[in-house]
Each structure stands twice: as structure tokens, then as C-alpha cells.
Amino acid sequence: MILVVGSKGMLGQELMKVFGDAARGVDIDDIDITDLVSVQRVLLTLKPRIVINAAAYTDVDGCQTEVEKAMQVNGEGVAYLALGTKEIGAKLVQVSSDYIFDGKKGAPYLEDDLASPLSIYGESKLAGEMNAWFNPDHLIVRTQWLYGHGGKNFVETMLKLAAEKDELSVVDDQVGSPTWAYDLALAVKALLEKGCSGTYHAANSGSVSWNGFAKEIFRLAGLDIKVNPMSTQELGRPAPRPLYSTLDCSKLAQDAGVTLQPWQQALERYLEQRPAR
């Protein structure tokens, strides 16, 4: 049995779909990953073969002020899951982020590139990666710019704003790979089926700025919205962001035989499947 922690979240829902009958989901009502006793109780009761941690505190700006909560959920919680899975002989899958990098490399990041997070969120996700090592049988999957059904994300934010305005300003100096949660779930499944361990990058192929991403969302949705450029500095968010954090996913292709579809195709499929609102 594969246990999905955070099964009601954006990625968790897709993991539950992809793994089907093999999966069982738990969420905040069932398990508190920041409480070792809660983690041990659930893992010792269910005794899963694999635990996928899709639970996280993902509000990047919120993490900047709620430092303790960020470190507890994204860092300490992973330590408890790692210790618990090791105790029952299960594999731990930890989902991580491009925000562990500073974006100054100037080329797509490889799995073994030096981590240098700019924000508390990035620091907390890096702590989670390090804590996953408490279980030698672990798989760390880094992704970026995630969107999907049933969660707050950039695509839904843009579509909501488009219903209120006909002109928007979106940053054009941050570049990455928008990634559909469903495709990420498929990558996790492929890695597990191949028995992979260690660290992997998984994102939809190709890269774009947030500004370019917004324009493609509106184009595919048939909306006539003017998208103006602006800088990250002009936006003035509390947490610093990496400017170029595209992930090199060639190791995923090599070891699991998976190359995720171009981000434009993934976005198109997502919008086609999106329920009417």
C-alpha cells in the first residue's frame, strides 16, 4: 500500500488518481506530521510500503514571517516521516522545490548543484530534503511552478483576475517551468516503478517567464487580456525569489524513461479538464 500524506491537496489529489486502488490517503484530520506521536501512530497502524509526502506549507511569503511554522511543517515533519518509515521498513518520497536554489547559475539546475536558498520557504524545503536522509530508502523529487485542480495556484489566480480586469502587470524577470500536478504524479509513479532512489528533478519541459505564462493562459482560455511586464523588484513581495530556476530533468528521462510534456501542452490539457466555474 502506498500512503499519500496530504491527499486532499493539489498534488495529493493527483497522486491518489494516478496510483488508484494501490493508494490510501491521509490529510490533516488524520495525521499531524509535526507531531512524532501522530506520525508513528498512523504509520504503525497502516504499515504502508511507500509513504509519499505531499503535505507542505507552500505560502512562500507567509513562510517569510511564519518561520517556525515553515520549519516545523516543511522541515521537522519530514524528519518524523523519515524516522517513522525507516522504523517500519518503508520508502519515503519527499516532494521538494526549485526554491532551494538561488537562481544565479544561468543554466538549468542539476540534482547535485549546490543549494543556496534565498527565502525561508527555500530553507525549510532544503531542511526537509536533509531530514529525508534519516531514512536511507528515500526518494526526493524536486519540482517547480506547480498548478493543478483543487488548489491555489498561478493559473487559477490569473483566470480569477481576468474576470475582474482587462489589463494586468506580471513579472517578466523570473523564468522557470510551469508544471501540472498530474504530470508530476506520473513522474513519481514512474520513478517508483523503476525502483529509483536519491534525488530527481521533475517538471514539464521548456521554460518561460511568469509574464509569458500568463499570456499563454489567456490565449488558450480565449481571453483578451493585456499583460504588461514588470520586475520582481517592482512587485516587492516579502520573500526573495530565484530569477532563473529551471530544472534539468535529464536524469528522470535516463533512469525512469520519462520526459514530461512541454508546459504549453500540459496547460492546454489542464484548461480542457478544468470544471466550469
Side-chain angles (χ1 to χ4, degrees):
M1 184 250 288
I2 296 167
L3 185 67
V4 177
V5 179
S7 60
K8 293 179 181 174
M10 196 165 63
L11 176 59
Q13 290 181 46
E14 302 296 355
L15 288 164
M16 293 298 291
K17 278 186 219 164
V18 163
F19 285 102
D21 293 341
R24 174 158 176 177
V26 290
D27 212 283
I28 191 69
D29 294 337
D30 315 295
I31 186 171
D32 177 1
I33 64 169
T34 67
D35 180 349
L36 180 58
V37 174
S38 175
V39 170
Q40 287 177 324
R41 177 179 52 77
V42 171
L43 295 187
L44 288 169
T45 302
L46 299 178
K47 292 189 171 61
R49 183 173 54 90
I50 296 166
V51 173
I52 305 174
N53 181 28
Y57 181 28
T58 57
D59 181 345
V60 176
D61 291 320
C63 286
Q64 207 66 14
T65 50
E66 293 191 280
V67 179
E68 189 176 349
K69 179 181 176 182
M71 289 300 179
Q72 282 180 337
V73 177
N74 296 340
E76 290 168 31
V78 185
Y80 297 152
L81 288 169
L83 292 168
T85 48
K86 183 184 178 186
E87 187 179 345
I88 62 170
K91 187 185 199 83
L92 174 65
V93 182
Q94 170 63 15
V95 180
S96 193
S97 166
D98 62 312
Y99 275 54
I100 68 153
F101 298 116
D102 62 16
K104 296 172 184 173
K105 180 183 176 183
Y109 281 94
L110 298 164
E111 284 80 357
D112 56 1
D113 279 332
L114 187 67
S116 181
L118 300 174
S119 63
I120 298 298
Y121 172 72
E123 286 180 21
S124 69
K125 293 301 287 184
L126 180 58
E129 286 193 19
M130 295 166 75
N131 288 340
W133 284 77
F134 283 124
N135 182 351
D137 187 10
H138 67 264
L139 173 65
I140 295 165
V141 184
R142 293 187 192 126
T143 193
Q144 65 178 158
W145 294 25
L146 203 63
Y147 65 90
H149 303 289
K152 185 183 174 188
N153 61 77
F154 184 79
V155 179
E156 295 304 325
T157 299
M158 288 298 106
L159 292 172
K160 182 173 179 289
L161 288 172
E164 302 162 2
K165 304 175 180 181
D166 55 14
E167 186 173 344
L168 296 169
S169 293
V170 181
V171 293
D172 65 349
D173 58 355
Q174 291 178 39
V175 174
S177 303
T179 303
W180 185 18
Y182 174 74
D183 281 349
L184 176 59
L186 290 178
V188 170
K189 186 180 184 187
L191 285 163
L192 289 172
E193 286 175 346
K194 294 287 186 180
C196 296
S197 294
T199 303
Y200 286 84
H201 290 169
N204 282 115
S205 54
S207 61
V208 69
S209 69
W210 287 115
N211 187 282
F213 187 23
K215 286 176 178 173
E216 186 67 1
I217 292 165
F218 298 140
R219 187 187 74 80
L220 289 171
L223 298 169
D224 185 19
I225 308 291
K226 187 181 180 188
V227 183
N228 300 311
M230 74 184 303
S231 68
T232 299
Q233 192 172 2
E234 285 177 284
L235 185 61
R237 299 295 282 274
R241 266 81 166 164
L243 294 185
Y244 185 89
S245 57
T246 302
L247 301 173
D248 185 313
C249 301
S250 53
K251 186 181 173 190
L252 174 69
Q254 177 187 310
D255 293 0
V258 171
T259 300
L260 297 184
Q261 64 184 325
W263 68 266
Q264 299 94 325
Q265 288 180 20
L267 175 61
E268 188 169 13
R269 286 188 61 199
Y270 170 78
L271 291 173
E272 285 171 356
Q273 294 180 16
R274 185 174 176 264
R277 311 196 172 194

